[in-house]
Amino acid sequence: MPTDWGSDQIGSDQTGPDQIFQLQEQVRQLKEAVVSHAVVDQAIGMVVVLGRVTPDEGWLVLKEVSQHTNIKLRNVAEMVLIWGRAGVMPPEIRAALEDALDRRGPTQIPGAPPEG
């Protein structure tokens, strides 16, 4: 039974400065993942509200936009959040977002006059 928890992931032959560096890198990556997760969750929320879709569909919409534009999901999410604050979105992201939402059925922003 191991007495040094986590040593199997770090490498039991590493000690001192190498181990400290590797641990610091893991902490940095975990912090980045937490921030990225929050950004994606916020963008899903915007897609849910504006696209009148479920949270699961909001996730799928962001994923589709990412895949169709070949832009990392986190970056797509950041652009959606910037759009929410500044009203600016790159045309290729806007087009992919509209297409992905259209595939999920007609959407209408609450309070907007009916189309047609």
Side-chain angles (χ1 to χ4, degrees):
M1 178 170 220
T3 57
D4 185 12
W5 300 106
S7 65
D8 58 329
Q9 293 179 1
I10 299 169
S12 58
D13 60 335
Q14 293 181 346
T15 58
D18 289 340
Q19 186 177 18
I20 291 170
F21 175 77
Q22 195 165 25
L23 288 170
Q24 287 172 332
E25 181 60 19
Q26 286 178 351
V27 168
R28 185 194 64 75
Q29 289 174 359
L30 287 171
K31 285 180 179 179
E32 188 176 310
V34 167
V35 169
S36 179
H37 193 292
V39 167
V40 171
D41 281 349
Q42 290 172 27
I44 289 171
M46 286 190 61
V47 172
V48 165
V49 170
L50 297 174
R52 299 185 81 165
V53 296
T54 67
D56 288 341
E57 289 173 319
W59 161 253
L60 292 174
V61 165
L62 287 180
K63 194 169 106 174
E64 284 180 32
V65 171
S66 173
Q67 290 172 345
H68 285 96
T69 60
N70 200 27
I71 297 173
K72 289 183 180 183
L73 187 105
R74 176 198 161 105
N75 294 345
V76 169
E78 287 174 342
M79 288 182 228
V80 168
L81 294 180
I82 290 169
W83 170 64
R85 287 189 305 268
V88 178
M89 181 182 288
E92 67 274 8
I93 300 295
R94 179 182 294 274
L97 183 59
E98 288 173 356
D99 289 345
L101 285 170
D102 285 346
R103 282 191 285 281
R104 282 169 175 62
T107 60
Q108 181 181 354
I109 295 176
E115 294 179 8

